[in-house]
Amino acid sequence: MKAMMKPWLSVLAALLLALSLVGCGAGKEQQGETNGTAQEQPAETDGQEESTGQTPASDEGELKTEYPLTVTDATGTEITFEQAPAKIVSLSPSETEKLFALGLDEEIVGVTDYDDYPEAATTKPRMGGFQVNEEALIAAGPDVVFSATMNAETAEQLRGLGITVYVNNPKTIEDVMESILLLGQITDRQAEAGQVVEQMKQELASVTEAVQSLSEEEKKKVYVEFSPGWTVGKGEFMDEMITLAGGINVAGDQEGWFEISEENIIAANPDVILYSANVVDESSQKTLDVMIKERSGWDQIEAIKNDRIVGLDDNLLSRPGPRVTQGLIEVAKAIYPELMNP
């Protein structure tokens, strides 16, 4: 028996599957979310989580979670933790990265088929991909399942099996940092969470400070493509990354993930094109940059004429986890190498 694990966006799901199949092809039918994100959509929610637990400092000054702790996840479900979970399953690569960053290696008893970072994640039992393997999940006996790729319907299906499910839905880098702090609270790893977030804030500041002097006229127009013919508009953190890096997303007048009009991209005439470095077409074996350059009329785009087409690491950009600010740095370097590498 298997339960469908839907992504943040119906379109985003196929894209991330395409990105997860590195070197195995990424045709047009594979459009959607990240490496088994894996990016990562609870619908019918605003993505806000609340915590009613207190976290007083111990005598040694270290923050310790006070249980019972009650939180509300992105599906609007209130969950009470009587103690720190001892057995954890992650059903999103981004959540897996967060949990490992908090030092919860021993507590993690299951991950998705797409989890590949850190290296220790590859040794964990697999709980399925876009379809959750319910038998494996039940056998793992988790105290809680964390996910950023699950909608309310699927979450309720698993809860009906007696499984505690906490769904995340970060839409901005700030959301990602807040989710890490909340995971630290739930798992009684607040000190570790604070250290992770502090590092992320430093990485974020290194970018915003580098580009803060740019005038509107100096800002470069940017187009990003992560699956053949698909891009991202406003409302997703990848669009926010372009903005924070001092760029102007040429697809920012639309929302979410969508299939492009080639003529519109030519008309927008981006200065820089960012693409998924790992996408390879199954039939032709062409990489995504080759496919982009071969499109009719695209040789007139400034980015292609000036060889400003840059491949980026999919996982750094498509997973809303602790490395998302490293992805932001890579975006900024691609758009403004002279500012990021003075």
Side-chain angles (χ1 to χ4, degrees):
M1 218 168 70
K2 295 187 177 181
M4 290 300 296
M5 181 168 60
K6 298 179 182 178
W8 302 335
L9 301 163
S10 57
V11 177
L12 194 55
L15 167 63
L16 297 181
L17 174 58
L19 301 185
S20 69
L21 302 177
V22 174
C24 296
K28 200 164 191 174
E29 70 281 6
Q30 294 173 313
Q31 297 137 354
E33 192 190 323
T34 169
N35 286 2
T37 196
Q39 60 328 280
E40 285 180 357
Q41 153 195 343
E44 307 119 5
T45 73
D46 59 5
Q48 300 299 312
E49 297 88 20
E50 298 177 357
S51 167
T52 59
Q54 297 179 351
T55 54
S58 68
D59 292 339
E60 294 78 19
E62 179 183 355
L63 285 175
K64 301 293 293 181
T65 300
E66 183 177 280
Y67 298 97
L69 172 71
T70 300
V71 297
T72 302
D73 79 347
T75 67
T77 300
E78 190 174 88
I79 303 166
T80 297
F81 292 90
E82 299 296 336
Q83 59 187 12
K87 299 176 71 176
I88 299 171
V89 164
S90 169
L91 292 181
S92 301
S94 62
E95 300 306 288
T96 299
E97 292 197 19
K98 293 175 187 176
L99 295 166
F100 271 100
L102 298 182
L104 292 163
D105 188 331
E106 293 185 4
E107 287 78 5
I108 299 171
V109 296
V111 299
T112 78
D113 294 347
Y114 309 113
D115 285 47
D116 55 10
Y117 187 91
E119 180 66 25
T122 64
T123 67
K124 296 293 183 179
R126 302 287 162 159
M127 301 290 114
F130 287 145
Q131 287 188 317
V132 180
N133 186 325
E134 291 181 359
E135 289 83 357
L137 185 58
I138 293 171
D143 297 316
V144 63
V145 170
F146 290 112
S147 178
T149 61
M150 189 179 294
N151 69 1
E153 179 183 357
T154 303
E156 284 308 307
Q157 181 177 342
L158 295 180
R159 288 167 181 151
L161 300 174
I163 298 170
T164 298
V165 179
Y166 181 92
V167 179
N168 225 326
N169 187 26
K171 288 293 187 180
T172 66
I173 291 177
E174 181 66 29
D175 288 345
V176 175
M177 291 190 286
E178 289 179 358
S179 73
I180 291 171
L181 292 174
L182 186 53
L183 282 181
Q185 190 177 16
I186 291 170
T187 60
D188 199 17
R189 296 297 178 96
Q190 294 192 66
E192 293 85 347
Q195 292 170 2
V196 171
V197 169
E198 181 58 33
Q199 177 64 32
M200 294 178 69
K201 287 181 177 179
Q202 292 176 14
E203 291 167 346
L204 172 61
S206 72
V207 172
T208 55
E209 290 171 6
V211 303
Q212 65 181 350
S213 63
L214 290 170
S215 66
E216 286 300 313
E217 293 73 23
E218 293 173 318
K219 291 183 177 181
K220 296 186 183 297
K221 294 180 294 182
V222 180
Y223 167 68
V224 59
E225 185 167 327
F226 274 79
S227 189
W230 287 75
T231 192
V232 63
K234 60 186 176 183
E236 299 296 334
F237 74 89
M238 205 173 295
D239 170 70
E240 180 195 34
M241 291 171 75
I242 293 174
T243 301
L244 289 172
I248 299 171
N249 183 6
V250 298
D253 58 340
Q254 298 190 53
E255 294 188 1
W257 294 86
F258 60 92
E259 194 167 12
I260 65 169
S261 160
E262 293 188 11
E263 293 75 14
N264 287 348
I265 303 302
I266 294 173
N269 195 22
D271 301 299
V272 179
I273 293 176
L274 309 179
Y275 70 94
S276 167
N278 296 344
V279 171
V280 179
D281 182 71
E282 285 183 338
S283 59
S284 68
Q285 291 300 301
K286 292 179 180 178
T287 54
L288 187 51
D289 60 322
V290 171
M291 289 185 272
I292 290 172
K293 291 177 181 178
E294 288 182 346
R295 291 173 185 157
S296 177
W298 281 48
D299 57 350
Q300 297 305 307
I301 293 176
E302 288 297 314
I304 295 179
K305 288 196 296 184
N306 297 322
D307 196 26
R308 294 299 309 280
I309 177 168
V310 185
L312 297 174
D313 183 333
D314 307 328
N315 293 345
L316 290 182
L317 302 180
S318 58
R319 294 180 180 178
R323 296 190 295 161
V324 69
T325 44
Q326 296 176 31
L328 173 62
I329 290 174
E330 294 307 307
V331 169
K333 286 180 177 179
I335 302 173
Y336 301 108
E338 71 282 0
L339 296 179
M340 295 300 296
N341 300 297

